[in-house]
Amino acid sequence: TKNAIVLVARQHPPEIPGGTISFKAFYNELVSNTKVANAFREKFNIYAFPLLNPDGADMGNWRHNANGVDLNRDWIDFSQPETKTVKSYIETKVNNGTKIQFAIDFHTSYSGPYLLVLDSINATKSKKIIPNWIQKIEDNLSFKVEARRRSQKLPYCYNYFINKFGCEAVTYEEGDEIDRGIIKKRAKRYALSFMEIMIKKYNNNEL
């Protein structure tokens, strides 16, 4: 079985702090030449969608794509070409033997940074990647991670991965007004902690 993680970014065109700056710093850490990153990529493929709403970004839209649809409300109906593309690509990979182990959807909010995580029922059934990751971040950074639970019935991107593939997933929200250097440092640290936890879970046969 091939293991993979999925990264999605810029569903909402103006959300550059999280959707571009955080995503790029996080992704660059995953594909870097460090010992941890090399070990991670030996075990996990990375499927990345860095600009899921290019038409909306080009048109200067606030939340919507060219058809006037908020893509992060389309992960049940799959009425739009952007969400259909992700669904088709990922489900083809899974049908060919890949196992999705985690997904992260990058956004920006006036009240960030925070993570949208599993509701209490799904958290109980999970492999505990998210709480282990948060604990690792807090141990390394002396930084309190705000985790907000959301129902898995909502038509959000991260819920698609949870409900369809039974993996864990988060929405990674950065703050609008946060210093860009801090955003980059945080994403880099989050990525390192994430890789360390995923490698540990893999080596312990906990995935």
Side-chain angles (χ1 to χ4, degrees):
T1 300
K2 294 169 284 187
N3 292 287
I5 68 154
V6 181
L7 308 178
V8 176
R10 289 291 291 282
Q11 293 195 76
H12 296 147
E15 295 184 9
I16 291 170
T20 295
I21 299 171
S22 290
F23 166 81
K24 284 178 69 175
F26 195 101
Y27 178 83
N28 285 341
E29 189 67 20
L30 298 188
V31 300
S32 68
N33 199 32
T34 65
K35 183 178 179 181
V36 172
N38 285 323
F40 177 80
R41 293 194 308 275
E42 286 176 1
K43 298 167 177 62
F44 300 95
N45 288 334
I46 303 163
Y47 302 142
F49 302 87
L51 179 56
L52 195 63
N53 189 358
D55 293 333
D58 187 58
M59 296 167 73
N61 292 350
W62 185 249
R63 301 272 296 182
H64 302 138
N65 70 349
N67 294 328
V69 174
D70 183 337
L71 294 179
N72 205 31
R73 302 296 182 271
D74 192 47
W75 292 90
I76 291 175
D77 293 339
F78 293 98
S79 67
Q80 298 305 300
E82 297 90 345
T83 51
K84 285 178 180 175
T85 296
V86 176
K87 183 178 190 291
S88 174
Y89 182 85
I90 297 299
E91 292 183 14
T92 297
K93 290 290 187 183
V94 169
N95 290 338
N96 288 329
T98 294
K99 184 170 178 60
I100 305 300
Q101 297 289 4
F102 206 90
I104 306 175
D105 180 27
F106 290 83
H107 288 264
T108 309
S109 168
Y110 70 92
S111 62
Y114 60 86
L115 298 177
L116 292 186
V117 300
L118 309 182
D119 64 29
S120 55
I121 295 171
N122 282 291
T124 301
K125 298 186 293 185
S126 77
K127 297 169 184 173
K128 306 296 185 289
I129 296 169
I130 295 169
N132 292 167
W133 179 26
I134 290 174
Q135 186 63 57
K136 187 85 170 173
I137 293 167
E138 292 180 343
D139 288 347
N140 290 338
L141 279 185
S142 301
F143 174 82
K144 184 68 177 172
V145 177
E146 182 182 352
R148 302 183 185 180
R149 296 196 187 280
R150 288 290 185 278
S151 168
Q152 265 62 82
K153 295 179 181 178
L154 295 167
Y156 298 166
C157 176
Y158 89 119
N159 280 337
Y160 161 67
F161 288 95
I162 296 164
N163 294 326
K164 180 68 178 178
F165 305 112
C167 68
E168 289 174 67
V170 299
T171 300
Y172 182 124
E173 295 270 5
E174 190 48 90
D176 281 320
E177 304 298 330
I178 306 293
D179 177 89
R180 289 357 187 195
I182 292 173
I183 288 174
K184 291 176 184 176
K185 288 178 183 176
R186 181 174 13 251
K188 182 175 173 139
R189 187 69 245 187
Y190 276 38
L192 177 59
S193 297
F194 174 73
M195 290 189 290
E196 289 171 342
I197 290 299
M198 294 299 287
I199 291 168
K200 183 177 179 181
K201 292 279 187 184
Y202 180 94
N203 290 339
N204 291 342
N205 294 315
E206 294 175 7
L207 295 176

